Every structure is written in C-alpha cells, then in structure tokens.
Amino acid sequence: MKQDQPRPTPRAGIMDIEAYVPGKSTAPAGVTKVYKLSSNENPLGPSPKAIEAAREVAAKLDVYPDGTARRLREAIAEVHGLNPANIICSNGSDEILGLLAQTYLAPGDEAMFTEHAFMVYKIYIQAAGAKPVAVKETDERADIDAILAAVTPATRIVFLANPNNPTGTYVPFQEVRRLHAALPKNVLLVLDAAYAEYVRRNDYEAGIELAGSSENVVMTRTFSKLGLGGARIGWMYGPAHIVDAINRVRGPFNVNATAIEAGIAAIRDRAHIERSVAHNEKWLAWLSAELTGVGLRVTPSVGNFVLIHFPDSKRHSAAAADDYLSARGYILRRVTGYGFPNALRMSVGTEEANRGVIDALKTFLKS
Ligand SMILES: *Cc1c(COP(=O)(O)O)cnc(C)c1O
C-alpha cells in the first residue's frame, strides 16, 4: 500500500484523461438574442407532452423512481418492436457507454474508435484503465478495413458511432455486418446510433437486428437529439448476458423520475418526432447547399448538424468565424479536439437561426 503518499491519488491513467468540453451555451456580453447551435439539440424543443409529463411528476419528487425504468423500457420496446427485457435505460447514452467500458475493459485491454469519433469513448476507455486505440478514417468516415486491421489479441471493444459526431458521416449497414462478421467473437461491438432517427438513407440501419441476433453487439440510443437533452435519457439494446452484466454495475436508480415520465411521453409522441425529422431533412439539405454555395466545404452529413470547413487563411479561419458568429449570437461548436482545428460544427437550427448564420457567413467571407 502507498502509505507514504501525502494525499489520495487517482488510479494510474486517470490524470491523463482530458476532460470533455461541452459546446458553449453563452454569447459574449451585450448579445441579446442567442441561437445555441453547439450541442445538436432539437430546434423544435421538447415534445409538449413530455413537458406536461415532467410537470406532473414534479409534485411527486419525494418518491424514488422505479429502478428498472420498466414503463419507459416498455414504451421504447413497443415503438421499436423489441423485448423490454433486452433494454437498459440510462442517464443519457453517455452513461451506458461508460458502463460498457467499466464492465468489459481492464488494464492491458484495448478498445477502438475512429480518428474523428465522438470523444467520450476515449475518456471511458482511459477511465477503465484500458488502452484507447484511434483508427484512421477515410474521407472523414469510419474505415472498416482499417478497424479490422487494428484488432489485436488485446482488443475487447470496438465503438462505432453511426452516424458519427462531429462528421455526420455514416457507414452503410452492409459494411457494419462485414465488420461484425470478421471480428473475433469475444470483441464487443458497440453501435452508437445517437442520430438514427434523423438518417434518411436506404442503406442505413441503427443495428436493432444485429444486436438482437448476436452475442457481441449492442446498440445505444438517446432521447437527447430529439428534444430531451436536459432530461438525460439513453438506452441500450443487446443480448441478455450483457444486459445482466450491466445491470449489476449500474446505479440502482440511474434514471430519475422526471426522465422516466418525460421519456415515456416523448417516445409516444410520434407526431413531434416526425415534425422534428422533417424539419431536419429540409434544413440540413438547405444548409449544406448554402454553405457550399458560399465556398465552404461541408462534410456530407446525415445527422442534425453539419461540419463546416474554413479556408486556410487567418482572416477567414474557423476561429475567426467563431468569433464573428458568436458576436452576433450564433453559437457553433469548435472541434479542434476532434482533429478539426479549422472547422466548426453547426446544429441544424430554426429557420431564423439557419438563415441568420448563412447571412452572417456571407458578410464574414467578404470582409
Ligand atoms: C450526443 C451523442 C451521444 C449521447 O448523448 P447523451 O445525451 O448522453 O444521450 C452519444 N453518441 C453520440 C455520437 C452523440 O453525438
């Protein structure tokens, strides 16, 4: 024992973790109207039915929630045609990603994700004491052959964000199946489908069938991108043995009472989800075309955001654009930590926000 230490010390590796930096939510002083386009929230807001359900539960906040979130699991199962016993709900899907790392990784193990992948994977892998392995992408998209080439006897988890954030690119499901077929059976494939509802592509699947028919695949989902980011609701669907293991490790009341009630109301409000998806489909296409039109490269996105690349000039860099837009109330996301020092990620916003950003960028690029 380290009894000569002057104070408690974190486990080896913990202090190597770079803490997650969330998207900004405030504008510089003096800006009156703020358009938060930095966290891929739903510009249509929460389902009105979820708001009502959250209000109702407020009067009963003295009572512990159902620790198994049974009614929320049943609502999710009904909508997606799943067995509720194979679902675990969580405090945002972030929590589930962390629980998977904590449960399946030990020091000496390796876990993989791709070059520009969502950053929480690396954090949770390091927190579990395992070795994070970042695999090169091709054209800002996960490269299945590169992932397979990086598998070693120490590999335990492959995290695949499909579609990925912050690129917005996706891997056709045939490619995901090819990855699964070639992975060793003891490697867990985590399909993070946080943006699944927004994808409008015939060759895309979130992974329900694969997770339902394999012993080493789970799919994770979230309510955050559909209007409930503040409620923190995520869920995982996977084989019984993984559900059993995670249920031993998770907090006994990891999903709070407000989240449970708001979540049940939100997932049953199909009209609100359809409106949100239709709004996104229209404005994602509009934004992509307008941005390209003003001479900026945009990574082709199927999510509810776009990754905008700026020219290699100091005057028109991503940092300069960020300052310019922030001063006018448009809060986008810097993505330097994701390997894009000269790009900004912009969530699809309201019509007013989308038009405002394009107008501002036109003036900015002429300046
Ligand atoms: C937003 C996001 C999540 C999870 O968000 P939660 O709010 O924790 O549910 C997971 N994966 C990706 C790729 C995301 O962009």
Side-chain angles (χ1 to χ4, degrees):
M1 299 307 277
K2 295 187 202 160
Q3 282 178 351
D4 54 342
Q5 299 275 340
R7 58 182 194 182
T9 5
R11 236 180 26 232
I14 296 293
M15 299 314 289
D16 299 333
I17 297 174
E18 281 179 51
Y20 184 82
V21 183
K24 281 188 297 183
S25 54
T26 53
V31 177
T32 44
K33 182 141 195 195
V34 176
Y35 302 88
K36 186 173 181 232
L37 303 167
S38 57
S39 302
N40 302 342
E41 291 145 345
N42 187 350
L44 274 52
S47 150
K49 295 188 170 138
I51 298 174
E52 189 48 40
R55 275 214 184 94
E56 274 174 31
V57 86
K60 295 175 258 171
L61 284 180
D62 56 320
V63 183
Y64 269 91
D66 163 21
T68 73
R70 180 180 55 82
R71 289 168 43 251
L72 177 57
R73 286 186 295 112
E74 286 172 356
I76 294 168
E78 191 184 310
V79 164
H80 290 281
L82 309 172
N83 180 350
N86 291 85
I87 296 172
I88 294 184
C89 293
S90 55
N91 186 40
S93 55
D94 282 351
E95 186 195 17
I96 277 286
L97 298 168
L99 288 168
L100 288 164
Q102 198 186 328
T103 307
Y104 288 95
L105 298 176
D109 292 342
E110 294 175 5
M112 241 184 265
F113 49 90
T114 65
E115 193 181 356
H116 302 294
F118 187 46
M119 226 136 51
V120 307
Y121 310 140
K122 186 179 179 195
I123 293 175
Y124 289 137
I125 294 164
Q126 288 177 296
K131 183 178 158 198
V133 178
V135 181
K136 278 276 173 219
E137 297 184 357
T138 302
D139 298 331
E140 293 159 8
R141 205 190 83 172
D143 180 330
I144 298 306
D145 292 308
I147 294 173
L148 287 171
V151 172
T152 76
T155 307
R156 289 291 169 271
I157 302 184
V158 173
F159 288 100
L160 183 69
N162 200 26
N164 183 43
N165 163 20
T167 53
T169 55
Y170 76 106
V171 178
F173 213 71
Q174 235 178 330
E175 284 284 282
V176 177
R177 285 191 185 279
R178 185 165 73 82
L179 167 65
H180 174 246
L183 278 180
K185 290 192 167 36
N186 68 335
V187 174
L188 173 61
L189 176 60
V190 178
L191 300 174
D192 177 351
Y195 299 93
E197 284 83 357
Y198 286 109
V199 186
R200 285 287 171 269
R201 288 290 188 284
N202 287 333
D203 58 355
Y204 175 80
E205 275 178 50
I208 285 181
E209 253 186 59
L210 196 59
S213 60
S214 318
E215 292 291 341
N216 65 332
V217 182
V218 298
M219 172 193 69
T220 63
R221 301 285 285 264
T222 180
F223 284 54
S224 297
K225 312 299 162 35
L226 279 160
L228 288 181
R232 314 300 306 126
I233 311 166
W235 55 282
M236 178 198 97
Y237 173 65
H241 71 98
I242 296 180
V243 168
D244 175 40
I246 299 294
N247 270 330
R248 293 165 195 257
V249 178
R250 71 172 174 87
F253 304 100
N254 61 329
V255 187
N256 68 71
T258 311
I260 289 175
E261 298 308 326
I264 292 169
I267 200 161
R268 295 221 163 106
D269 189 353
R270 304 313 292 168
H272 184 75
I273 295 174
E274 278 164 30
R275 271 195 301 276
S276 307
V277 172
H279 173 92
N280 191 67
E281 196 170 13
K282 174 177 173 186
W283 290 101
L284 174 67
W286 185 86
L287 276 174
S288 306
E290 290 287 320
L291 289 162
T292 310
V294 299
L296 297 171
R297 183 170 77 81
V298 176
T299 305
S301 171
V302 295
N304 65 344
F305 57 89
V306 278
L307 184 65
I308 313 167
H309 303 268
F310 287 82
D312 276 328
S313 82
K314 200 160 187 243
R315 179 187 288 259
H316 292 146
S317 65
D322 188 36
D323 288 343
Y324 187 90
L325 292 169
S326 300
R328 284 153 186 81
Y330 303 106
I331 311 302
L332 276 63
R333 179 75 147 91
R334 293 295 308 270
V335 281
T336 304
Y338 285 95
F340 295 112
N342 203 24
L344 295 176
R345 190 191 69 198
M346 173 187 175
S347 309
V348 172
T350 58
E351 172 168 1
E352 183 178 74
N354 299 333
R355 291 193 186 277
V357 169
I358 296 299
D359 287 346
L361 281 176
K362 280 180 183 164
T363 319
F364 166 74
L365 291 167
K366 277 189 209 123
S367 65

